[in-house]
Amino acid sequence: MTTPEPGHPGQVPDGPGVPVPERGAWLRCGISHDGGPLVEDREVVWLQAGSWYADSRGFAGTTSFDGSRTHFHHLTGEPGEDTGTLRWDGANLVETGTNADGSTFLEIWTPLPDADGVLGSWSGPDHHVVRVGRHVVHVDSHTGTYWRL
């Protein structure tokens, strides 16, 4: 992919964001670091079931919204917290933010089909699972795994 052009989701104006939808199965279709080009080199899936989420990159936990930004609190897998501003661009969610090291990011998330039906979130010792429709992400201390049922 190339650098965002005017009118592309990467050009979303500053301002307050929107909260995370309470139900969602999302495929990342591009990430930009520090204003660079949008690229995607692997499949990344994010599932949201109420306030619980799981990300196939290997972290899961809860989300909260402060009226402007969404906070992804990592409770399982990779430690930390991500904070981003979400905005709608058609059916896609565009997330922008700043990493702990000061670098910036922009991610574009597109909805996955077959996200209706079963919705749930389950935790156990050292693992967390979220299911949204036919999509499941399992996260433990070593990795995140995505399955489509």
Side-chain angles (χ1 to χ4, degrees):
M1 299 181 109
T2 60
T3 302
E5 313 243 344
H8 187 276
Q11 301 297 314
V12 176
D14 291 334
V18 299
V20 169
E22 289 194 15
R23 176 192 196 99
W26 304 93
L27 175 67
R28 188 175 74 183
C29 58
I31 185 168
S32 168
H33 295 282
D34 293 322
L38 282 168
V39 296
E40 190 55 66
D41 60 357
R42 63 182 172 149
E43 181 180 66
V44 176
V45 173
W46 154 37
L47 300 181
Q48 188 77 35
S51 64
W52 291 93
Y53 77 93
D55 188 301
S56 65
R57 290 173 285 186
F59 49 93
T62 61
T63 56
S64 62
F65 183 66
D66 66 12
S68 178
R69 297 174 303 161
T70 298
H71 302 268
F72 295 86
H73 311 281
H74 299 206
L75 303 176
T76 304
E78 180 183 311
E81 179 175 308
D82 296 313
T83 302
T85 301
L86 296 169
R87 293 185 185 80
W88 289 105
D89 182 47
N92 294 338
L93 273 174
V94 177
E95 180 183 1
T96 56
T98 303
N99 296 308
D101 65 3
S103 62
T104 61
F105 68 89
L106 177 144
E107 292 177 294
I108 300 174
W109 298 94
T110 192
L112 286 165
D114 301 320
D116 48 344
V118 178
L119 178 71
S121 173
W122 302 270
S123 290
D126 194 37
H127 72 276
H128 194 89
V129 177
V130 172
R131 179 173 178 185
V132 178
R134 296 184 65 187
H135 307 280
V136 176
V137 171
H138 172 273
V139 175
D140 60 32
S141 61
H142 305 290
T143 191
T145 305
Y146 165 67
W147 294 282
R148 185 171 187 273
L149 305 176

